[in-house]
mmCIF file of all heavy atoms in Angstrom:
data_model
loop_
_atom_site.group_PDB
_atom_site.id
_atom_site.type_symbol
_atom_site.label_atom_id
_atom_site.label_comp_id
_atom_site.label_asym_id
_atom_site.label_seq_id
_atom_site.Cartn_x
_atom_site.Cartn_y
_atom_site.Cartn_z
ATOM 1 N N LYS A 55 84.155 91.174 88.122
ATOM 2 C CA LYS A 55 83.479 90.134 88.888
ATOM 3 C C LYS A 55 83.499 90.440 90.382
ATOM 4 O O LYS A 55 82.548 90.137 91.105
ATOM 5 C CB LYS A 55 84.151 88.771 88.630
ATOM 6 C CG LYS A 55 83.742 88.110 87.331
ATOM 7 C CD LYS A 55 82.270 87.682 87.384
ATOM 8 C CE LYS A 55 81.858 86.956 86.108
ATOM 9 N NZ LYS A 55 80.408 86.596 86.147
ATOM 10 N N GLY A 56 84.583 91.036 90.838
ATOM 11 C CA GLY A 56 84.671 91.378 92.244
ATOM 12 C C GLY A 56 83.560 92.317 92.673
ATOM 13 O O GLY A 56 82.940 92.138 93.728
ATOM 14 N N GLU A 57 83.287 93.329 91.850
ATOM 15 C CA GLU A 57 82.199 94.259 92.158
ATOM 16 C C GLU A 57 80.847 93.566 92.024
ATOM 17 O O GLU A 57 79.947 93.777 92.841
ATOM 18 C CB GLU A 57 82.279 95.467 91.227
ATOM 19 C CG GLU A 57 83.475 96.349 91.499
ATOM 20 C CD GLU A 57 83.477 97.603 90.651
ATOM 21 O OE1 GLU A 57 82.554 97.797 89.838
ATOM 22 O OE2 GLU A 57 84.416 98.397 90.801
ATOM 23 N N GLU A 58 80.710 92.758 90.999
ATOM 24 C CA GLU A 58 79.437 92.068 90.771
ATOM 25 C C GLU A 58 79.095 91.138 91.940
ATOM 26 O O GLU A 58 77.940 91.042 92.357
ATOM 27 C CB GLU A 58 79.531 91.258 89.470
ATOM 28 C CG GLU A 58 78.248 90.569 89.069
ATOM 29 C CD GLU A 58 78.384 89.809 87.760
ATOM 30 O OE1 GLU A 58 79.219 90.219 86.919
ATOM 31 O OE2 GLU A 58 77.663 88.812 87.582
ATOM 32 N N ASN A 59 80.119 90.472 92.474
ATOM 33 C CA ASN A 59 79.892 89.518 93.561
ATOM 34 C C ASN A 59 79.725 90.191 94.923
ATOM 35 O O ASN A 59 79.389 89.527 95.905
ATOM 36 C CB ASN A 59 81.050 88.520 93.627
ATOM 37 C CG ASN A 59 81.113 87.628 92.401
ATOM 38 O OD1 ASN A 59 80.118 87.423 91.722
ATOM 39 N ND2 ASN A 59 82.293 87.104 92.108
ATOM 40 N N ASN A 60 79.988 91.494 94.991
ATOM 41 C CA ASN A 60 79.881 92.206 96.262
ATOM 42 C C ASN A 60 78.893 93.373 96.181
ATOM 43 O O ASN A 60 79.086 94.413 96.816
ATOM 44 C CB ASN A 60 81.256 92.714 96.684
ATOM 45 C CG ASN A 60 82.145 91.602 97.200
ATOM 46 O OD1 ASN A 60 82.041 91.187 98.347
ATOM 47 N ND2 ASN A 60 83.017 91.099 96.332
ATOM 48 N N THR A 61 77.848 93.168 95.423
ATOM 49 C CA THR A 61 76.834 94.213 95.247
ATOM 50 C C THR A 61 76.275 94.693 96.585
ATOM 51 O O THR A 61 76.054 95.883 96.790
ATOM 52 C CB THR A 61 75.695 93.689 94.360
ATOM 53 O OG1 THR A 61 76.221 93.396 93.058
ATOM 54 C CG2 THR A 61 74.586 94.724 94.220
ATOM 55 N N PHE A 62 76.061 93.761 97.496
ATOM 56 C CA PHE A 62 75.494 94.134 98.791
ATOM 57 C C PHE A 62 76.510 93.963 99.922
ATOM 58 O O PHE A 62 76.155 93.753 101.076
ATOM 59 C CB PHE A 62 74.226 93.318 99.049
ATOM 60 C CG PHE A 62 73.158 93.598 98.028
ATOM 61 C CD1 PHE A 62 72.898 92.707 97.000
ATOM 62 C CD2 PHE A 62 72.439 94.788 98.073
ATOM 63 C CE1 PHE A 62 71.925 92.979 96.041
ATOM 64 C CE2 PHE A 62 71.460 95.060 97.131
ATOM 65 C CZ PHE A 62 71.210 94.159 96.109
ATOM 66 N N ASN A 63 77.782 94.054 99.544
ATOM 67 C CA ASN A 63 78.864 94.000 100.534
ATOM 68 C C ASN A 63 79.887 95.075 100.176
ATOM 69 O O ASN A 63 81.063 94.803 100.006
ATOM 70 C CB ASN A 63 79.513 92.610 100.538
ATOM 71 C CG ASN A 63 80.534 92.468 101.646
ATOM 72 O OD1 ASN A 63 80.420 93.086 102.701
ATOM 73 N ND2 ASN A 63 81.558 91.662 101.393
ATOM 74 N N LEU A 64 79.395 96.299 100.047
ATOM 75 C CA LEU A 64 80.249 97.404 99.625
ATOM 76 C C LEU A 64 81.217 97.799 100.739
ATOM 77 O O LEU A 64 80.949 97.583 101.920
ATOM 78 C CB LEU A 64 79.382 98.598 99.219
ATOM 79 C CG LEU A 64 78.470 98.340 98.014
ATOM 80 C CD1 LEU A 64 77.517 99.504 97.807
ATOM 81 C CD2 LEU A 64 79.293 98.119 96.759
ATOM 82 N N PRO A 65 82.379 98.353 100.374
ATOM 83 C CA PRO A 65 83.428 98.603 101.366
ATOM 84 C C PRO A 65 83.056 99.661 102.402
ATOM 85 O O PRO A 65 82.380 100.646 102.098
ATOM 86 C CB PRO A 65 84.606 99.083 100.505
ATOM 87 C CG PRO A 65 83.974 99.613 99.259
ATOM 88 C CD PRO A 65 82.791 98.740 99.018
ATOM 89 N N ASN A 66 83.508 99.436 103.623
ATOM 90 C CA ASN A 66 83.406 100.426 104.682
ATOM 91 C C ASN A 66 84.557 101.414 104.464
ATOM 92 O O ASN A 66 85.721 101.111 104.733
ATOM 93 C CB ASN A 66 83.531 99.748 106.050
ATOM 94 C CG ASN A 66 83.401 100.717 107.205
ATOM 95 O OD1 ASN A 66 83.947 101.822 107.176
ATOM 96 N ND2 ASN A 66 82.703 100.298 108.245
ATOM 97 N N ARG A 67 84.249 102.589 103.973
ATOM 98 C CA ARG A 67 85.300 103.518 103.546
ATOM 99 C C ARG A 67 86.111 104.083 104.701
ATOM 100 O O ARG A 67 87.321 104.279 104.570
ATOM 101 C CB ARG A 67 84.678 104.621 102.691
ATOM 102 C CG ARG A 67 84.229 104.090 101.321
ATOM 103 C CD ARG A 67 83.296 105.032 100.599
ATOM 104 N NE ARG A 67 81.965 105.005 101.193
ATOM 105 C CZ ARG A 67 80.899 105.563 100.624
ATOM 106 N NH1 ARG A 67 80.997 106.187 99.470
ATOM 107 N NH2 ARG A 67 79.715 105.503 101.198
ATOM 108 N N LEU A 68 85.479 104.329 105.837
ATOM 109 C CA LEU A 68 86.228 104.816 106.997
ATOM 110 C C LEU A 68 87.231 103.759 107.470
ATOM 111 O O LEU A 68 88.392 104.072 107.753
ATOM 112 C CB LEU A 68 85.273 105.185 108.126
ATOM 113 C CG LEU A 68 85.917 105.651 109.439
ATOM 114 C CD1 LEU A 68 86.846 106.828 109.203
ATOM 115 C CD2 LEU A 68 84.850 106.008 110.462
ATOM 116 N N LEU A 69 86.798 102.521 107.541
ATOM 117 C CA LEU A 69 87.696 101.435 107.924
ATOM 118 C C LEU A 69 88.833 101.296 106.917
ATOM 119 O O LEU A 69 90.000 101.121 107.294
ATOM 120 C CB LEU A 69 86.916 100.119 108.020
ATOM 121 C CG LEU A 69 87.742 98.855 108.299
ATOM 122 C CD1 LEU A 69 88.461 98.965 109.635
ATOM 123 C CD2 LEU A 69 86.843 97.613 108.269
ATOM 124 N N ALA A 70 88.496 101.389 105.625
ATOM 125 C CA ALA A 70 89.514 101.250 104.579
ATOM 126 C C ALA A 70 90.557 102.361 104.660
ATOM 127 O O ALA A 70 91.757 102.120 104.481
ATOM 128 C CB ALA A 70 88.852 101.235 103.205
ATOM 129 N N VAL A 71 90.125 103.581 104.922
ATOM 130 C CA VAL A 71 91.071 104.700 105.064
ATOM 131 C C VAL A 71 91.998 104.453 106.248
ATOM 132 O O VAL A 71 93.212 104.669 106.171
ATOM 133 C CB VAL A 71 90.326 106.042 105.225
ATOM 134 C CG1 VAL A 71 91.295 107.152 105.618
ATOM 135 C CG2 VAL A 71 89.627 106.417 103.922
ATOM 136 N N SER A 72 91.456 103.978 107.361
ATOM 137 C CA SER A 72 92.265 103.685 108.541
ATOM 138 C C SER A 72 93.285 102.584 108.247
ATOM 139 O O SER A 72 94.435 102.651 108.701
ATOM 140 C CB SER A 72 91.363 103.264 109.709
ATOM 141 O OG SER A 72 90.477 104.301 110.066
ATOM 142 N N GLN A 73 92.872 101.584 107.495
ATOM 143 C CA GLN A 73 93.787 100.501 107.139
ATOM 144 C C GLN A 73 94.900 101.005 106.216
ATOM 145 O O GLN A 73 96.067 100.598 106.356
ATOM 146 C CB GLN A 73 93.013 99.360 106.483
ATOM 147 C CG GLN A 73 92.096 98.628 107.452
ATOM 148 C CD GLN A 73 91.181 97.633 106.765
ATOM 149 O OE1 GLN A 73 90.877 97.751 105.571
ATOM 150 N NE2 GLN A 73 90.731 96.640 107.511
ATOM 151 N N HIS A 74 94.563 101.890 105.296
ATOM 152 C CA HIS A 74 95.580 102.473 104.421
ATOM 153 C C HIS A 74 96.542 103.352 105.221
ATOM 154 O O HIS A 74 97.742 103.410 104.912
ATOM 155 C CB HIS A 74 94.925 103.276 103.296
ATOM 156 C CG HIS A 74 94.552 102.441 102.109
ATOM 157 N ND1 HIS A 74 93.586 101.470 102.171
ATOM 158 C CD2 HIS A 74 95.036 102.420 100.837
ATOM 159 C CE1 HIS A 74 93.477 100.889 100.982
ATOM 160 N NE2 HIS A 74 94.342 101.438 100.167
ATOM 161 N N GLU A 75 96.028 104.041 106.224
ATOM 162 C CA GLU A 75 96.881 104.839 107.097
ATOM 163 C C GLU A 75 97.936 103.945 107.757
ATOM 164 O O GLU A 75 99.133 104.291 107.807
ATOM 165 C CB GLU A 75 96.042 105.540 108.147
ATOM 166 C CG GLU A 75 96.854 106.364 109.139
ATOM 167 C CD GLU A 75 96.014 106.891 110.285
ATOM 168 O OE1 GLU A 75 94.820 106.524 110.390
ATOM 169 O OE2 GLU A 75 96.561 107.679 111.079
ATOM 170 N N ALA A 76 97.502 102.795 108.255
ATOM 171 C CA ALA A 76 98.429 101.855 108.879
ATOM 172 C C ALA A 76 99.434 101.321 107.865
ATOM 173 O O ALA A 76 100.630 101.171 108.165
ATOM 174 C CB ALA A 76 97.647 100.703 109.512
ATOM 175 N N PHE A 77 98.969 101.047 106.646
ATOM 176 C CA PHE A 77 99.838 100.551 105.579
ATOM 177 C C PHE A 77 100.906 101.578 105.225
ATOM 178 O O PHE A 77 102.087 101.245 105.065
ATOM 179 C CB PHE A 77 98.976 100.213 104.363
ATOM 180 C CG PHE A 77 99.735 99.658 103.193
ATOM 181 C CD1 PHE A 77 100.751 98.752 103.364
ATOM 182 C CD2 PHE A 77 99.414 100.052 101.895
ATOM 183 C CE1 PHE A 77 101.453 98.227 102.272
ATOM 184 C CE2 PHE A 77 100.101 99.550 100.807
ATOM 185 C CZ PHE A 77 101.118 98.635 100.996
ATOM 186 N N ILE A 78 100.501 102.842 105.139
ATOM 187 C CA ILE A 78 101.447 103.917 104.852
ATOM 188 C C ILE A 78 102.509 103.981 105.956
ATOM 189 O O ILE A 78 103.701 104.127 105.696
ATOM 190 C CB ILE A 78 100.717 105.265 104.721
ATOM 191 C CG1 ILE A 78 99.909 105.296 103.428
ATOM 192 C CG2 ILE A 78 101.712 106.435 104.740
ATOM 193 C CD1 ILE A 78 98.980 106.490 103.307
ATOM 194 N N GLY A 79 102.066 103.860 107.192
ATOM 195 C CA GLY A 79 102.999 103.884 108.314
ATOM 196 C C GLY A 79 104.020 102.766 108.235
ATOM 197 O O GLY A 79 105.207 102.968 108.535
ATOM 198 N N ILE A 80 103.592 101.583 107.824
ATOM 199 C CA ILE A 80 104.514 100.447 107.686
ATOM 200 C C ILE A 80 105.559 100.732 106.607
ATOM 201 O O ILE A 80 106.758 100.493 106.803
ATOM 202 C CB ILE A 80 103.733 99.162 107.354
ATOM 203 C CG1 ILE A 80 102.893 98.722 108.556
ATOM 204 C CG2 ILE A 80 104.684 98.041 106.937
ATOM 205 C CD1 ILE A 80 101.927 97.601 108.264
ATOM 206 N N MET A 81 105.111 101.250 105.462
ATOM 207 C CA MET A 81 106.059 101.544 104.379
ATOM 208 C C MET A 81 107.064 102.606 104.805
ATOM 209 O O MET A 81 108.269 102.470 104.558
ATOM 210 C CB MET A 81 105.300 101.972 103.121
ATOM 211 C CG MET A 81 104.573 100.831 102.443
ATOM 212 S SD MET A 81 103.959 101.256 100.801
ATOM 213 C CE MET A 81 102.628 102.357 101.237
ATOM 214 N N LEU A 82 106.592 103.655 105.457
ATOM 215 C CA LEU A 82 107.495 104.717 105.901
ATOM 216 C C LEU A 82 108.490 104.192 106.926
ATOM 217 O O LEU A 82 109.663 104.599 106.931
ATOM 218 C CB LEU A 82 106.692 105.874 106.486
ATOM 219 C CG LEU A 82 105.843 106.660 105.471
ATOM 220 C CD1 LEU A 82 104.866 107.581 106.197
ATOM 221 C CD2 LEU A 82 106.726 107.472 104.533
ATOM 222 N N SER A 83 108.064 103.273 107.778
ATOM 223 C CA SER A 83 108.959 102.703 108.780
ATOM 224 C C SER A 83 110.075 101.886 108.144
ATOM 225 O O SER A 83 111.114 101.648 108.763
ATOM 226 C CB SER A 83 108.175 101.826 109.764
ATOM 227 O OG SER A 83 107.760 100.614 109.156
ATOM 228 N N GLN A 84 109.850 101.452 106.904
ATOM 229 C CA GLN A 84 110.856 100.681 106.170
ATOM 230 C C GLN A 84 111.697 101.561 105.242
ATOM 231 O O GLN A 84 112.455 101.059 104.419
ATOM 232 C CB GLN A 84 110.172 99.577 105.357
ATOM 233 C CG GLN A 84 109.405 98.571 106.193
ATOM 234 C CD GLN A 84 110.284 97.864 107.201
ATOM 235 O OE1 GLN A 84 111.331 97.316 106.843
ATOM 236 N NE2 GLN A 84 109.882 97.867 108.467
ATOM 237 N N GLY A 85 111.527 102.875 105.370
ATOM 238 C CA GLY A 85 112.317 103.802 104.567
ATOM 239 C C GLY A 85 111.805 104.003 103.158
ATOM 240 O O GLY A 85 112.536 104.494 102.292
ATOM 241 N N ILE A 86 110.558 103.639 102.893
ATOM 242 C CA ILE A 86 109.959 103.810 101.567
ATOM 243 C C ILE A 86 109.278 105.170 101.500
ATOM 244 O O ILE A 86 108.447 105.493 102.345
ATOM 245 C CB ILE A 86 108.935 102.701 101.280
ATOM 246 C CG1 ILE A 86 109.611 101.329 101.333
ATOM 247 C CG2 ILE A 86 108.258 102.918 99.925
ATOM 248 C CD1 ILE A 86 108.644 100.166 101.294
ATOM 249 N N LYS A 87 109.638 105.971 100.504
ATOM 250 C CA LYS A 87 108.989 107.261 100.328
ATOM 251 C C LYS A 87 107.612 107.057 99.700
ATOM 252 O O LYS A 87 107.445 106.269 98.774
ATOM 253 C CB LYS A 87 109.822 108.186 99.438
ATOM 254 C CG LYS A 87 109.174 109.550 99.248
ATOM 255 C CD LYS A 87 110.038 110.520 98.487
ATOM 256 C CE LYS A 87 109.323 111.865 98.332
ATOM 257 N NZ LYS A 87 110.139 112.869 97.632
ATOM 258 N N VAL A 88 106.612 107.799 100.200
ATOM 259 C CA VAL A 88 105.242 107.661 99.722
ATOM 260 C C VAL A 88 104.789 108.960 99.059
ATOM 261 O O VAL A 88 104.890 110.034 99.649
ATOM 262 C CB VAL A 88 104.279 107.321 100.875
ATOM 263 C CG1 VAL A 88 102.834 107.299 100.384
ATOM 264 C CG2 VAL A 88 104.645 105.977 101.496
ATOM 265 N N ILE A 89 104.327 108.843 97.819
ATOM 266 C CA ILE A 89 103.692 109.957 97.120
ATOM 267 C C ILE A 89 102.198 109.675 97.136
ATOM 268 O O ILE A 89 101.736 108.669 96.589
ATOM 269 C CB ILE A 89 104.199 110.070 95.674
ATOM 270 C CG1 ILE A 89 105.719 110.262 95.650
ATOM 271 C CG2 ILE A 89 103.509 111.227 94.953
ATOM 272 C CD1 ILE A 89 106.332 110.066 94.286
ATOM 273 N N LEU A 90 101.454 110.553 97.785
ATOM 274 C CA LEU A 90 100.028 110.314 97.978
ATOM 275 C C LEU A 90 99.209 111.231 97.084
ATOM 276 O O LEU A 90 99.238 112.451 97.215
ATOM 277 C CB LEU A 90 99.664 110.554 99.446
ATOM 278 C CG LEU A 90 98.275 110.102 99.887
ATOM 279 C CD1 LEU A 90 98.147 108.583 99.801
ATOM 280 C CD2 LEU A 90 97.996 110.572 101.303
ATOM 281 N N LEU A 91 98.489 110.618 96.143
ATOM 282 C CA LEU A 91 97.561 111.370 95.291
ATOM 283 C C LEU A 91 96.300 111.667 96.094
ATOM 284 O O LEU A 91 95.681 110.763 96.651
ATOM 285 C CB LEU A 91 97.208 110.552 94.055
ATOM 286 C CG LEU A 91 98.295 110.441 92.979
ATOM 287 C CD1 LEU A 91 97.998 109.267 92.060
ATOM 288 C CD2 LEU A 91 98.386 111.726 92.184
ATOM 289 N N LYS A 92 95.932 112.935 96.161
ATOM 290 C CA LYS A 92 94.739 113.303 96.916
ATOM 291 C C LYS A 92 93.517 112.591 96.344
ATOM 292 O O LYS A 92 93.276 112.624 95.137
ATOM 293 C CB LYS A 92 94.514 114.819 96.861
ATOM 294 C CG LYS A 92 95.353 115.610 97.830
ATOM 295 C CD LYS A 92 94.920 117.062 97.830
ATOM 296 C CE LYS A 92 95.716 117.878 98.834
ATOM 297 N NZ LYS A 92 95.282 119.303 98.836
ATOM 298 N N PRO A 93 92.732 111.942 97.196
ATOM 299 C CA PRO A 93 91.510 111.292 96.696
ATOM 300 C C PRO A 93 90.499 112.327 96.235
ATOM 301 O O PRO A 93 90.501 113.467 96.703
ATOM 302 C CB PRO A 93 91.009 110.512 97.915
ATOM 303 C CG PRO A 93 91.586 111.227 99.090
ATOM 304 C CD PRO A 93 92.909 111.777 98.650
ATOM 305 N N SER A 94 89.658 111.915 95.294
ATOM 306 C CA SER A 94 88.658 112.823 94.737
ATOM 307 C C SER A 94 87.348 112.087 94.529
ATOM 308 O O SER A 94 87.334 110.903 94.148
ATOM 309 C CB SER A 94 89.151 113.380 93.396
ATOM 310 O OG SER A 94 88.106 114.016 92.687
ATOM 311 N N GLU A 95 86.250 112.783 94.762
ATOM 312 C CA GLU A 95 84.929 112.189 94.542
ATOM 313 C C GLU A 95 84.704 111.870 93.071
ATOM 314 O O GLU A 95 83.849 111.056 92.722
ATOM 315 C CB GLU A 95 83.841 113.129 95.061
ATOM 316 C CG GLU A 95 82.480 112.490 95.165
ATOM 317 C CD GLU A 95 81.450 113.383 95.826
ATOM 318 O OE1 GLU A 95 81.817 114.474 96.314
ATOM 319 O OE2 GLU A 95 80.271 112.992 95.860
#
């Protein structure tokens, strides 16, 4: 339903990557180890 309701409001991928970068930084600052799976098309 989330995808269906956002047909014409698709995610800004550059913004999303930047937000995930910030999220990763927060986790690392709290001593959480991060295993990052390389994204793939």
Side-chain angles (χ1 to χ4, degrees):
K55 280 292 183 182
E57 291 185 0
E58 184 179 332
N59 294 336
N60 286 279
T61 297
F62 298 103
N63 186 30
L64 297 172
N66 181 318
R67 289 165 286 192
L68 177 56
L69 175 61
V71 170
S72 298
Q73 291 172 336
H74 274 66
E75 178 188 7
F77 181 41
I78 289 171
I80 291 171
M81 288 192 288
L82 292 168
S83 72
Q84 299 301 308
I86 300 170
K87 181 174 180 178
V88 175
I89 301 167
L90 191 65
L91 286 162
K92 279 188 178 180
S94 167
E95 193 173 354

